[in-house]
Structures are given as structure tokens and as C-alpha cells.
Amino acid sequence: MIPLHARVVDAGREARALDGTLAASLERSARLAVAVLRAPAVLISLLGDDRRCFGAGELLPRWLAHDPGALVRSGLCSRVAALGVPLTIADVRADPHDDIASLGTSLGVGGFMAVRLTGDRGEPLGIFCAIDETAREWTEEEVRLLTDIAEAAASELSLRRRLAERERVERQLRHDSLHDPLTELPNRAFFMERLGQAVTRARARDDHQMFAILFLDLDNFKVVNDSVGHHAGDELLIAVARRLEGCIRGGDMVSRLGGDEFALLLERVQDARDAARIAERVQEALAAPVKLGGYELFTSVSIGVALSSSANERPEYLLRSADMAMYRAKNGGKARFEMFDPAMHAAALTRLQLETDLRRAVEREEFTLAYQPLVSLATGRMVGMEALVRWNHPDQGLVSPNDFIPVAEETGLIVPLGRWVLWEACRQLKQWHELPGGEGLTVSVNLSPRQFTQTDVVGEVARALAATGLDPRSLKLEITESVIIERFEQAAQALAELKRLGVHVHMDDFGTGYSSLSYLHQLPLNAIKIDRTFIASIDSDERALHLVGSIVVLVGNLGLESVAEGVTSVEQMAALRELGCTHAQGYLFSPPLEPAGMEAFMASAPRW
Ligand code: C2E
Ligand code: CA
Ligand code: CA
């Protein structure tokens, strides 16, 4: 009786499990051959990695105790495998080669016929053989039948292998598309996918189980990259990835979002403290130095934490919230974590709106200039004015420069805006020089650091002067210390060129920043504007008075003028005069005025 179940015999070393349907189909071919050839056993032996045997026939169980594949591997079939020439042997036991004959005897094999399984690219896939226990002359018809069955089996085998290969490639592609090649961590796409699932699950549940996102950014990665090299940078990222993996529980995910940004998805978090504990654990884990080829690199991270909540339903919002909190942590001094709170979101939205409005305002020229008188303390007369930009927002009315200058600075919008201010101030003053009381007045224009370092300020100033016909000696530029501290060489050169043009330069807000006195004599400056916070307290605080006095003397010794900002009382004015301060500005004289107000002010020629 032919056993209908055929057994798969592992003839090789631990081989990859073949697809079950492939086994079934080869067994079907084997059974067909058994029936058609009336052979007591049929064996299919695969070549290559699989090296598996499939078989059918009543004699098969007896051979399972031995190694039926031995027959195929014995050298008997090598010509079949190599050349695809069918082999027929009437009695293996009588083979002229002793080893083969004895193998035939030990396995009890008489008649033997083998054909090759050939893949669709002509490659050998295996051997398909029919076996009889007694001697048997195989007919040509039988050889043809076995060849036909083998061909059908081979084409199926080929097809399945191609499918399996395609699946493998697809799996690989999918893996690659979801992982970061450097650290092997899940990438941003994978993270967002998992985050989406977590959000969906959280929505479906109504228990109070939460999850959390930690958004991580290395604090000094750029420095490492620039100083120790990209290769070390890569190694550091890999080391960080491994340490982060050590910080999470099963079911959680660590992902590299890109660059030096990582994210953790923590499922099952009880409360904010729970998430905070993990953030602390991450920081501890990264505190130990990373040893990289002779260097010990210390790294720290800034972490933003966002917790799932009904207000934060969309995955991308959650990630952005964690990102915002991370920025908070960075700005708060790095190497720390911050929890997201909705106020941050509101602030970010306001800021975003401001940016959009500001862009439009630059295009539509929604700005005007206000002018604040600059008074000489020696004569008590106005000698000039400072141009202060005003934004007339279509819905919000006048917006303070303190609110939009920093944003304009960050976004680069300060460049076109600052250019407009410069040109407008020059144009206006040139016109006012013709009015009663306008003769000889100067205008001071504030220049922001970005204008100074990222544009050709000198060229721009020269063009504005030439186009408006304003005397360069009527223009003063106000810069802040940060420009000088950060780009000393560049600033020094620009200042020298401005001096050559005949334009004066004032150091603004002196005393609020670095207050470094060392550069004062190295740079061609004309005046120092003493910040109003010092002026405010001179009539009540002795030390403030002395401090301002010292600045005035020091500045005077260097041949510079001194401008007191924010003078609001007659007493302050008197004290400043006494100290030898040369100029003053402030509400005592006048707040910043719109052009028509300034024209009236000039005409009235007040005196203090
Ligand atoms: P700043 O350059 O120090 O300008 C002086 C600021 O102090 C002005 O505020 C002015 O209105 C205010 N002020 C004047 N006198 C007094 C006083 O007696 N008491 C008090 N409490 N304040 C007084 P404003 O116009 O709001 O400008 C604020 C800042 O915005 C300016 O500070 C300047 O840094 C910046 N800014 C204004 N216009 C421009 C500009 O065109 N370009 C650039 N880059 N920055 C500008
Ligand atoms: Ca100023
Ligand atoms: Ca100032």
C-alpha cells in the first residue's frame, strides 16, 4: 500500500523551514510518480541551502532509519545534477563501483532512475529519482514520464522560490524603510506608526492608562562632530542608541528621528512622575562617558516629555508637544527635561501667527517710524533723534518692537525690515533739514546683529545715503555689544569702513550685556548709550549714580560721548549734567513721536 502521507526528511544541516505549501506540492509530485511508475519509492532531493528530501512510496518508511539522501549524494547522481542527463540503473547492487554497489546493498536498492529538477534559469534545483527494491529495466517511456513530472515539479519549485525571494526582499525593504541604517533603531516613520497605534488604543480604552513620549536632543553633538569628526559622531549616536534601549521596558520603543534627535514611546505610564522618572533614568544612563578611539566623550541630553491626553489626540501634535518641551529644556540650560504644558502650545501658536503676520507686514510695508528727540545736555537743545520702528498691525493695532524685533531677527525678516528703516529714516531727515528747526539734526538708526553680520551693511548705508542725498555726518547707527563680542574682526572692519564714510556709530544698551570695557578703545565708536535701567535709579541709589559717573568719565577719557537713555525727571537730568554726561534721551524731553508730532516739536524749539 502506498502511504498517502509522505514524510519530509531533513537530510541536511539545520535548514530554513520550507514553505508548507511547497512541501505539499513536492509530495504530490512524488506520489504521482509512485503511481505512474509503479515504483515502491520516489525521492526528491533538493540541492543548495535546503538539501531536503521529500518522498513517497511504501518502501520509504524502511529507509527513514537510514539516510536515503546518501544515494543521491553518493556520486551516482553527479552527472545528473551537473548535466541534466537522465540516469537509469537496472541494479545498483551490481554497480561496477564497489562503494555504490555496497550502498545499494545496504539500502536494499535494485532499480534506480534519476532526472534533474531544473530551474527556469537552467540552474539545477535537485534530483528526482524513482527506486525499486528489485532489479528493473527502465523503459524510455518511463524515463519520459519521470522527466515530465520532474519538469512540472521544478517549475512550481522555481515559482515558489521566486515568490519567497520576493517576500524576503519586500521584508528587507520594509525593514529598511522603517529603520535607521546607522543605529538600527526604528526611524521616524516607524515611530509615528507605533504612536498612531498607541493613540488609537488609548482612545478605545476608557481606563486612565496613559502613555508618554520623550523627545531627546543631544546637547553638544555638533561640537563632537566638528571637533572629533563625523565618524566619532556616528559612533556616539550608536552608543547613545544602545544606552537608550537599556532604559526602556518591553513594549516601549526607542527611535532615532534623525540627526541627534531620538524619541521614546513609553506605553503604560501611570502619571507624569512615572514619565519623569524615566527621563531621569535616561539622563543617568547617558552621564557616563562614551569611550571612542582614545577619547572619552561626555554627552548629555535635553528631554521634552509629553503625556497622552484627550487634548492631544493626534500623533503629530503629541510629538510636536514633546519637541516644544525639549526646546524649553534646551533654553533652560540643557541637560534637563521639561514636561509639556498647554501654555507652551498657546505661546508657540501665537509666535507662529506673529511670524506669518510679520512676513506679510514686510511685503505690505505696514511699518512706520517714530522719532524720539536726542538732547545735548550742554546746550539743552535737541540735536537729533532716534528712529524707532512701529508696526501697525491690521487687527492688533500698534505692536511693540520688543515683541516683533526678536522674531524678525530669528526669521531673518529683520534684513528687509532694517533696510526699509534705514532708507526711510534717511529720506525723512533729508526732508526735515529744510524745515524750521530741522537744520543740522541727526538721526540714529538701530541695526540688529543679523544686519551687521549677514549683509553688506556698509554698502547698504552708502547706497541709502547716496540715494537720499543725506550728509553721512547726519546719520548715526546704533549697534549692540553682541555684534562685537561674537564677530569682533568682522565688526571692527565694518566699523572702520563706516567711519571712513563719515557715519557715527553708537553702542546701544550699554551695561545690560557683557559690559566689556576692553573693546571700547579698540573700535572706532563715537558714543555709548547708557541703558535706562541705570538711569532710572540714579536719583535714589548712590551706587547707581557712581556707576554712571564712572562710565561717563571712562568713556570721556576715550574721547567718546555718552548718551543717557530713559531720562524721566528733571533731577536725573541735573545729575547727569553734573556728571558730565553729554547727551540724554527720555520721556522727560519727549516720547517717540510720529512724523507730524516731530515736525511740531522741532518748530517749537524747546530748551532744557
Ligand atoms: P532702544 O534702542 O533701547 O530704544 C529705546 C526704547 O526705550 C524705545 O522703545 C523708547 O520708546 C523707549 N524709551 C525712550 N525713553 C524712555 C523713557 O524715558 N522711559 C522708558 N521706560 N522707555 C523709554 P521702543 O520704541 O519700544 O523700542 C524698543 C526696542 O526695540 C529698542 O530699544 C530697539 O532695541 C528695538 N528697535 C526699535 N526700533 C528698531 C529698529 O528700527 N531696528 C532694530 N533693529 N531695533 C529696533
Ligand atoms: Ca537704540
Ligand atoms: Ca537702548
Side-chain angles (χ1 to χ4, degrees):
M1 189 199 93
I2 302 165
L4 281 183
H5 84 281
R7 288 220 21 208
V8 177
V9 184
D10 196 339
R13 65 200 141 78
E14 273 271 48
R16 181 171 60 86
L18 260 185
D19 180 10
T21 51
L22 170 63
S25 118
L26 288 177
E27 286 157 15
R28 234 180 357 258
S29 301
R31 288 200 302 274
L32 180 64
V34 164
V36 167
L37 298 170
R38 298 182 191 289
V42 160
L43 205 61
I44 300 172
S45 173
L46 297 185
L47 301 168
D49 281 351
D50 298 326
R51 292 192 60 193
R52 283 167 169 255
C53 280
F54 300 83
E58 61 195 5
L59 284 182
L60 201 61
R62 195 169 83 201
W63 284 340
L64 292 181
H66 308 281
D67 175 8
L71 207 60
V72 173
R73 295 193 304 274
S74 63
L76 200 62
C77 294
S78 53
R79 268 170 57 84
V80 183
L83 303 174
V85 184
L87 167 78
T88 51
I89 299 176
D91 193 347
V92 177
R93 289 164 300 197
D95 197 90
H97 299 95
D98 288 348
D99 53 335
I100 289 178
S102 69
L103 192 62
T105 308
S106 70
L107 288 171
V109 175
F112 182 83
M113 162 163 68
V115 297
R116 187 170 81 169
L117 290 165
T118 307
D120 51 10
R121 283 177 224 108
E123 78 282 14
L125 300 175
I127 305 290
F128 198 138
C129 47
I131 300 164
D132 209 320
E133 55 186 331
T134 55
R136 173 166 177 178
E137 292 292 342
W138 303 95
T139 65
E140 252 176 59
E141 171 73 1
E142 284 169 332
V143 175
R144 209 168 46 74
L145 282 170
L146 187 66
T147 306
D148 286 351
I149 294 170
E151 234 166 58
S155 77
E156 177 134 10
L157 187 59
S158 269
L159 178 70
R160 290 194 185 276
R161 286 212 170 146
R162 265 207 314 280
L163 288 176
E165 173 64 9
R166 198 164 76 194
E167 245 170 55
R168 196 189 61 73
V169 170
E170 278 168 4
R171 257 199 314 276
Q172 183 72 46
L173 283 176
R174 182 164 162 77
H175 176 274
D176 290 353
S177 73
L178 293 176
H179 289 80
D180 163 42
L182 179 68
T183 60
E184 283 291 332
L185 289 179
N187 63 13
R188 181 184 285 266
F190 198 176
F191 186 81
M192 291 315 285
E193 190 179 310
R194 279 284 303 277
L195 183 54
Q197 290 161 2
V199 168
T200 311
R201 267 201 309 278
R203 211 176 289 153
R205 272 191 318 240
D206 49 7
D207 55 4
H208 292 292
Q209 192 68 69
M210 290 195 290
F211 62 91
I213 297 180
L214 268 56
F215 194 111
L216 283 73
D217 188 291
L218 298 188
D219 287 332
N220 45 9
F221 186 67
K222 203 179 134 36
V223 179
V224 171
N225 248 352
D226 292 349
S227 56
V228 207
H230 285 271
H231 183 68
D234 285 354
E235 293 294 314
L236 178 64
L237 291 173
I238 293 169
V240 167
R242 298 292 87 82
R243 288 190 191 182
L244 292 178
E245 281 173 329
C247 292
I248 57 165
R249 298 164 297 200
D252 293 348
M253 183 187 251
V254 184
S255 157
R256 179 177 176 219
L257 298 179
D260 58 345
E261 288 177 356
F262 295 86
L264 267 55
L265 174 62
L266 308 175
E267 309 254 15
R268 298 180 313 278
V269 170
Q270 297 306 321
D271 52 22
R273 262 174 308 164
D274 212 11
R277 260 194 298 278
I278 298 185
E280 277 164 6
R281 205 193 303 163
V282 166
Q283 279 167 331
E284 275 165 33
L286 295 182
V290 177
K291 290 199 184 67
L292 285 180
Y295 294 99
E296 283 210 331
L297 297 180
F298 285 87
T299 186
S300 63
V301 272
S302 297
I303 306 178
V305 183
L307 289 167
S308 62
S309 75
S310 50
N312 261 328
E313 270 171 341
R314 307 222 347 226
E316 54 278 32
Y317 289 172
L318 262 171
L319 188 65
R320 210 174 52 196
S321 299
D323 190 2
M324 269 179 219
M326 187 281 291
Y327 263 95
R328 242 312 158 80
K330 276 259 183 250
N331 290 334
K334 302 182 176 175
R336 45 188 278 134
F337 70 89
E338 282 282 346
M339 308 290 295
F340 173 79
D341 84 72
M344 278 183 207
H345 185 62
L349 276 187
T350 310
R351 157 73 211 251
L352 196 67
Q353 185 62 47
L354 181 66
E355 214 179 293
T356 315
D357 290 359
L358 196 55
R359 240 169 246 288
R360 197 197 47 205
V362 170
E363 282 161 22
R364 299 191 189 168
E365 301 196 353
E366 291 171 0
F367 301 98
T368 57
L369 289 183
Y371 298 90
Q372 186 176 39
L374 175 71
V375 173
S376 159
L377 287 176
T379 63
R381 296 278 189 189
M382 169 163 77
V383 291
M385 62 197 80
E386 179 176 0
L388 294 158
V389 71
R390 297 289 175 262
W391 178 11
N392 209 341
H393 190 285
D395 319 319
Q396 293 170 30
L398 278 184
V399 183
S400 163
N402 291 319
D403 293 333
F404 68 84
I405 293 286
V407 179
E409 173 79 18
E410 269 176 55
T411 52
L413 287 168
I414 193 68
V415 173
L417 174 58
R419 185 182 300 133
W420 178 83
V421 171
L422 175 69
W423 282 68
E424 175 59 15
C426 292
R427 185 201 65 75
Q428 180 69 83
L429 187 70
K430 176 70 184 172
Q431 191 191 328
W432 282 345
H433 277 167
E434 312 301 322
L435 294 187
E439 199 189 334
L441 293 180
T442 62
V443 70
S444 303
V445 170
N446 292 284
L447 282 189
S448 87
R450 190 132 167 187
Q451 274 175 283
F452 214 79
T453 51
Q454 289 183 12
T455 65
D456 167 26
V457 229
V458 182
E460 193 63 42
V461 167
R463 279 192 290 279
L465 290 170
T468 57
L470 186 72
D471 181 344
R473 285 168 301 181
S474 304
L475 180 64
K476 295 175 174 171
L477 298 174
E478 298 191 1
I479 60 168
T480 51
E481 282 179 299
S482 59
V483 171
I484 284 164
I485 304 292
E486 284 161 26
R487 304 279 178 95
F488 187 88
E489 294 304 327
Q490 197 183 343
Q493 196 192 335
L495 291 180
E497 287 171 29
L498 287 169
K499 185 185 179 158
R500 233 171 289 141
L501 279 181
V503 174
H504 282 196
V505 179
H506 290 188
M507 175 61 55
D508 204 355
D509 302 340
F510 189 80
T512 55
Y514 309 90
S515 305
S516 166
L517 297 169
S518 62
Y519 60 76
L520 290 183
H521 68 276
Q522 298 177 42
L523 295 171
L525 292 167
N526 302 91
I528 300 301
K529 295 188 83 174
I530 305 165
D531 194 71
R532 67 164 178 272
T533 48
F534 297 96
I535 308 304
S537 41
I538 53 172
D539 41 9
S540 58
D541 180 352
E542 279 276 298
R543 277 178 315 176
L545 186 68
H546 283 306
L547 184 63
V548 172
S550 315
I551 295 174
V552 168
V553 169
L554 195 122
V555 160
N557 287 343
L558 291 169
L560 308 185
E561 299 185 320
S562 42
V563 184
E565 289 192 285
V567 176
T568 48
S569 71
V570 180
E571 291 75 22
Q572 287 169 351
M573 179 181 65
L576 289 162
R577 251 194 194 124
E578 189 84 2
L579 292 172
C581 181
T582 61
H583 295 83
Q585 216 182 311
Y587 291 169
L588 170 66
F589 313 105
S590 167
L593 301 167
E594 56 184 80
M598 178 47 91
E599 285 171 20
F601 192 87
M602 278 167 5
S604 71
R607 179 164 186 189
W608 288 274

